Amino acid sequence: MSGVDRPVYQQPAQPVEARVVDLMSRMTLDEKLAQIGCFWSRDLLVNGAFDPALAAEKIPHGIGQITRIGGATALLPEESAAVLNAFQRFLVEQTRLGIPAIIHEESCGGYLARGATCFPQALGQAATWDPAVVEQMAYEIRRQLLAVGARQALAPVLDVIRDPRWGRSEETYGEDPYLIGQIGSAYVRGLQTGDLADGVAATGKHFAGYGASEGGLNWAPSHIPERELREIYAAPFETAIKEAGLATVMNGYHELDGIPCGASRGLLGDLLRGEIGFEGAVVADYFTVENLLSYHHVAADQTEAARLALEAGIDIELPASVCYGEPLRQGLADGRIDPGLVDTAVANILRLKFRLGLFEKPYADPAAVAQAFETAEQRALARRVAAESIVLLKNEGDLLPLRKDFGSIAVIGPHADSPRLLQGDYHYPAHLETMQAEGPESAVPTPEHPFRGDLSELYPPMVTILAGIRAAVSAGTAVRYAQGCDVTDPSTDGFEAAVEAARQSDVAVVVVGARSGLTHQSTDGEAVDRATLDLPGVQQQLVEAVAATGTPVVVVLVNGRPLALPWIAEHIPAVLETWIPGEEGGSAVADVLFGELNPAGRLPVSMPRGVGQVPLYYNHKPSGGRSHWYGDYVDMSVRPLYPFGHGLSYTTFAYSDLQIAPRQPQAHDLVRISVVVTNTGPRAGDEVVQLYVRDTVASVTRPVQQLVGFKRLHLQPGERRTLTFHLAVSQLGFFDARMRYVVEPGAVVVMVGASCADIRQTGCFEIEGPVSEVGDHKVYTTPVEVS
């Protein structure tokens, strides 16, 4: 059949909308329902191979999406690509209309699959304060996903986290909507590229306010007023949609004011599609639709759950068709569900498939997989991202960087030589453990890998911190290792060996933290919420015992949420926060410990003194952040242990010559804010210059500080550069008492510094003119010029 004789939907040159209309005009109800449904990949596999007879039985009319070939199996990338091709070949050749499926995967800290690069977890990515490196990382994740044929990634997480008791804190980009929006948009650009036909559809999640739950508990209600919902929790999504063209959005599991997000027309319809203008597909977080019945109890049966979700605007049910299958069909037959709702959802899914070019390129190229996985360049990038994420919290007496030629170094702690503890809840090993816990019947793709016993053979090649240190020190340096204790085991039997190793060494590096995952053995991760923010187990006692020897101690933290560690902050001279650094974490930590790289990571969260402070965040309102009238708690300071944006360096930087012009801008003007930054120390290094503002008087309360720009730049000793922030006045808009997004006249204080608490230069400008509704003039990013 020639190109002109083919149906319109099969002609690439036709407009997307024309192709959608043509294809939908040809579809039966069965075929439409298939497109808004999903199927687990592993349920169509027999002994690790695609079974066409099983597919003909289970998905005879096609399917909208296939859930995680790589993430739900132990298949190698080449095998995964071959299985995907078998899936697609069946759909393209054996179903009536030949509609390919979107295969989705997880990619929070890299493509979640065997053999993929294990990059740092998301909170570490945010700690780089470097959108460019995050975009580069996402581009490499895209390469690996494309190589196996996956065309949607369930990332980035754009939740705002202000209560680190929540186990999923590590998957987020921190507490500030501007930082999250910038890092998240960079991730989306890297994954999707300029043309979605060459990219992978990103999924912003979880809309909205999921991380603000009662007690930091997963799936618990969030209590968020309408203004705060828009200005804080929806803002990163809006930035990623407007600045990076975010293709899909996923709902949160929680409820807002009695309405589950998965059933909220006000949230997914009025706010997301109406106010923000999102035009992509909305995908259900796993089990969302059925949870309207079994968890939230707002639906009497699965048919009603399907109706509520469709009315809210959820276009496809993941990870499998439970309510959008036969229960939805019954609702259509008996008139309980409007067929137009199905047509709207189907059109959104087909539109995404056409934008992805899926009809033209449904297959992966297994022969090309080797060039896309675990290349030297990808490992170097993983090392760079990990190194850029490391935050030097404290360096008393310039203990760091360490000399490479010490006579002996003690390396102590449960995280020092553990590949597993350098990986997070959305890295592949955590999901292997979950599948192992579920039992082989539900998860075994191949008889060779039944998910029993030691799973380490399926890990990516990992560099532990002990290995990184051993590779970095001189040949004459003795490295003494002692585990000391486990993460959660109360046993102190290993303390004696750890103390002895420290006594015999010139310095002790104690590596402690959390165990991220999805099982009961974990201390961080999804559904692993904590009532305390201390080091788990007896790790604090281990640090104290080592410190009591008198040997200088460096504490290296490996964790996915900000912990409350006042004793360590007070008594340990040097502390590094490494988050969850991934496969090159050991090399990156050694690079910083020994001064090969100058640390410049900055906190994307405030670190509390105690769990009683949470929620804790820098951009609170004037009446927040203190107790009237004394200020502090009676038993603790209200100030964070380490503030948002904090991070030290092995060199020093001076800020000078703040210039602001114009001084009397109008609502739609740009204000140029320039400052000179000079490296005044002995080493080359990066500085993260942060721009904050404060609206001094407004018709509704405004934050005491608001991040509106930042720039990470590299300076040689003695080098000075001028940074000019081009701040749009419209970025200072807010929702007034009538819920109009406006800019009001008045004075704005400008603060430039190295953290929210380390302000080096201050100034002000005065917005003139009437109260102005921003409308289409809204700006989301402050460009920074370096000269």
Side-chain angles (χ1 to χ4, degrees):
M1 184 182 295
S2 68
V4 293
D5 294 329
R6 291 158 57 194
V8 169
Y9 80 90
Q10 292 182 348
Q11 298 179 33
Q14 292 288 339
V16 166
E17 291 306 313
R19 299 178 77 181
V20 170
V21 170
D22 179 68
L23 180 51
M24 288 191 65
S25 71
R26 302 170 185 273
M27 297 175 75
T28 66
L29 177 60
D30 286 332
E31 289 163 337
K32 289 180 179 179
L33 294 183
Q35 287 306 303
I36 59 174
C38 188
F39 211 86
W40 273 101
S41 60
R42 64 194 186 197
D43 292 339
L44 294 173
L45 301 178
V46 175
N47 292 326
F50 174 72
D51 186 335
L54 197 58
E57 175 189 348
K58 300 293 185 182
I59 52 172
H61 306 291
I63 197 70
Q65 292 205 13
I66 296 290
T67 294
R68 294 195 294 166
I69 296 174
T73 71
L75 297 173
L76 290 166
E78 294 88 347
E79 299 167 329
S80 183
V83 165
L84 177 138
N85 284 346
F87 274 122
Q88 298 289 43
R89 192 169 294 109
F90 168 82
L91 293 169
V92 171
E93 298 178 4
Q94 301 300 318
T95 63
R96 187 177 73 91
L97 294 173
I99 305 173
I102 294 174
I103 283 72
H104 73 255
E105 299 281 1
E106 300 282 1
S107 68
C108 187
Y111 168 32
L112 191 159
R114 186 181 177 195
T117 305
C118 179
F119 290 103
Q121 183 63 302
L123 198 59
Q125 297 165 29
T128 68
W129 289 59
D130 188 349
V133 80
V134 172
E135 182 172 345
Q136 186 179 354
M137 179 201 73
Y139 190 84
E140 291 301 319
I141 295 171
R142 162 198 164 273
R143 286 186 60 207
Q144 295 187 344
L145 289 167
L146 285 180
V148 298
R151 299 305 303 277
Q152 182 177 0
L154 304 187
V157 174
L158 300 175
D159 292 309
V160 177
I161 174 61
R162 293 176 166 182
D163 187 341
R165 293 176 296 177
W166 188 49
R168 303 191 76 171
S169 297
E170 68 185 60
E171 301 172 41
T172 77
Y173 295 135
E175 72 180 50
D176 180 75
Y178 182 82
L179 178 63
I180 298 167
Q182 296 305 304
I183 299 294
S185 293
Y187 186 99
V188 172
R189 284 192 294 269
L191 205 62
Q192 295 188 172
T193 71
D195 182 354
L196 200 56
D198 296 322
V200 171
T203 306
K205 59 186 190 183
H206 308 81
F207 197 79
Y210 179 36
S213 59
E214 290 178 348
L217 295 170
N218 202 39
W219 291 22
S222 296
H223 305 285
I224 306 173
E226 291 294 319
R227 183 174 291 101
E228 188 174 347
L229 177 65
R230 286 161 174 78
E231 293 183 356
I232 302 297
Y233 294 96
F237 292 88
E238 184 172 1
T239 300
I241 290 165
K242 298 295 188 180
E243 295 276 275
L246 178 67
T248 71
V249 167
M250 177 180 281
N251 66 280
Y253 284 117
H254 59 297
E255 67 164 77
L256 292 169
D257 196 22
I259 310 297
C261 292
S264 178
R265 283 179 282 185
L267 185 71
L268 301 178
D270 297 343
L271 178 55
L272 179 63
R273 293 200 183 276
E275 294 182 37
I276 294 176
F278 178 67
E279 297 180 346
V282 176
V283 302
D285 204 346
Y286 285 16
F287 319 114
T288 284
V289 184
E290 204 279 331
N291 281 344
L292 298 177
L293 165 68
S294 62
Y295 187 76
H296 291 291
H297 305 292
V298 295
D301 55 31
Q302 291 178 336
T303 296
E304 188 175 4
R307 176 182 63 79
L308 289 173
L310 282 169
E311 287 177 346
I314 290 182
D315 296 315
I316 189 166
E317 181 180 14
L318 305 184
S321 301
V322 176
C323 300
Y324 277 17
E326 187 57 32
L328 172 54
R329 180 193 303 279
Q330 293 172 4
L332 292 167
D334 63 23
R336 282 191 286 167
I337 297 177
D338 179 0
L341 296 172
V342 173
D343 285 347
T344 297
V346 172
N348 286 335
I349 297 303
L350 294 179
R351 192 173 293 115
L352 176 61
K353 291 186 176 185
F354 285 124
R355 289 183 62 207
L356 286 166
L358 201 60
F359 285 76
E360 291 69 56
K361 296 184 292 185
Y363 302 115
D365 180 5
V369 166
Q371 289 75 42
F373 280 85
E374 273 299 282
T375 66
E377 293 77 15
Q378 287 166 343
R379 290 201 70 92
L381 180 60
R383 183 171 182 168
R384 178 186 170 191
V385 179
E388 285 200 19
S389 74
I390 294 173
V391 182
L392 179 59
L393 295 174
K394 182 181 180 183
N395 193 20
E396 190 176 88
D398 292 332
L399 176 58
L400 295 176
L402 301 176
R403 290 172 21 222
K404 292 185 177 182
D405 60 353
F406 275 126
S408 60
I409 296 177
V411 183
I412 295 166
H415 297 70
D417 196 33
S418 171
R420 173 63 184 85
L421 295 180
L422 302 184
Q423 302 177 70
D425 71 337
Y426 271 76
H427 288 126
Y428 184 58
H431 286 253
L432 282 177
E433 293 163 0
T434 304
M435 290 185 285
Q436 183 186 54
E438 289 175 353
E441 305 78 36
S442 64
V444 180
T446 66
E448 294 81 16
H449 299 292
F451 298 109
R452 289 192 294 268
D454 184 11
L455 300 175
S456 61
E457 67 173 286
L458 304 182
Y459 293 180
M462 302 287 297
V463 180
T464 68
I465 293 172
L466 176 62
I469 289 173
R470 282 178 168 159
V473 298
S474 68
T477 301
V479 178
R480 297 184 170 91
Y481 166 66
Q483 181 177 340
C485 65
D486 193 12
V487 176
T488 56
D489 195 315
S491 173
T492 60
D493 292 347
F495 278 27
E496 183 178 351
V499 167
E500 185 60 26
R503 284 198 181 111
Q504 295 180 23
S505 300
D506 298 304
V507 66
V509 178
V510 185
V511 193
V512 291
R515 187 185 200 279
S516 177
L518 299 162
T519 66
H520 289 300
Q521 290 73 42
S522 303
T523 67
D524 282 18
E526 184 174 3
V528 186
D529 309 314
R530 295 186 61 195
T532 65
L533 295 175
D534 307 323
L535 280 171
V538 294
Q539 294 180 90
Q540 173 83 26
Q541 294 94 307
L542 175 65
V543 175
E544 293 175 7
V546 172
T549 66
T551 300
V553 174
V554 179
V555 166
V556 176
L557 300 171
V558 181
N559 54 279
R561 68 176 104 207
L563 298 177
L565 304 173
W567 189 93
I568 288 176
E570 181 178 355
H571 294 94
I572 300 301
V575 184
L576 284 177
E577 174 62 81
T578 71
W579 313 106
I580 299 174
E583 67 181 41
E584 281 290 330
S587 300
V589 169
D591 287 341
V592 171
L593 283 174
F594 296 102
E596 288 296 321
L597 289 175
N598 195 339
R602 298 293 185 264
L603 290 179
V605 287
S606 304
M607 292 190 73
R609 297 174 184 273
V611 71
Q613 287 180 291
V614 300
L616 179 69
Y617 49 94
Y618 85 95
N619 55 345
H620 56 77
K621 296 299 183 67
S623 61
R626 60 191 172 89
S627 175
H628 186 71
W629 55 86
Y630 290 122
D632 287 333
Y633 296 102
V634 296
D635 52 355
M636 184 182 295
S637 168
V638 296
R639 294 184 299 277
L641 188 64
Y642 295 107
F644 175 81
H646 171 75
L648 303 178
S649 173
Y650 296 153
T651 190
T652 56
F653 299 92
Y655 291 58
S656 62
D657 197 22
L658 179 68
Q659 301 289 326
I660 301 172
R663 291 280 185 170
Q664 292 85 34
Q666 301 282 322
H668 301 305
D669 288 343
L670 285 175
V671 178
R672 297 179 302 280
I673 302 168
S674 65
V675 66
V676 175
V677 179
T678 305
N679 184 343
T680 55
R683 292 174 176 266
D686 288 6
E687 175 72 333
V688 179
V689 181
Q690 301 164 41
L691 173 64
Y692 298 89
V693 296
R694 181 175 72 249
D695 190 338
T696 58
V697 178
S699 60
V700 296
T701 60
R702 302 302 299 143
V704 296
Q705 280 180 298
Q706 178 183 347
L707 181 72
V708 292
F710 62 88
K711 180 66 175 180
R712 182 169 177 149
L713 77 160
H714 185 78
L715 294 173
Q716 295 295 323
E719 185 179 7
R720 55 187 288 158
R721 304 294 291 273
T722 299
L723 280 74
T724 302
F725 295 87
H726 297 272
L727 174 67
V729 176
S730 66
Q731 280 182 253
L732 309 182
F734 55 85
F735 287 89
D736 68 4
R738 295 164 56 190
M739 291 303 291
R740 303 174 304 164
Y741 194 80
V742 301
V743 172
E744 292 183 348
V748 175
V749 175
V750 173
M751 298 161 277
V752 183
S755 81
C756 72
D758 184 9
I759 299 301
R760 308 290 184 84
Q761 295 278 291
T762 62
C764 67
F765 60 86
E766 183 97 14
I767 302 173
E768 294 191 337
V771 174
S772 300
E773 292 196 52
V774 174
D776 294 336
H777 298 284
K778 194 171 183 180
V779 175
Y780 302 91
T781 298
T782 302
V784 187
E785 178 186 349
V786 180
S787 59

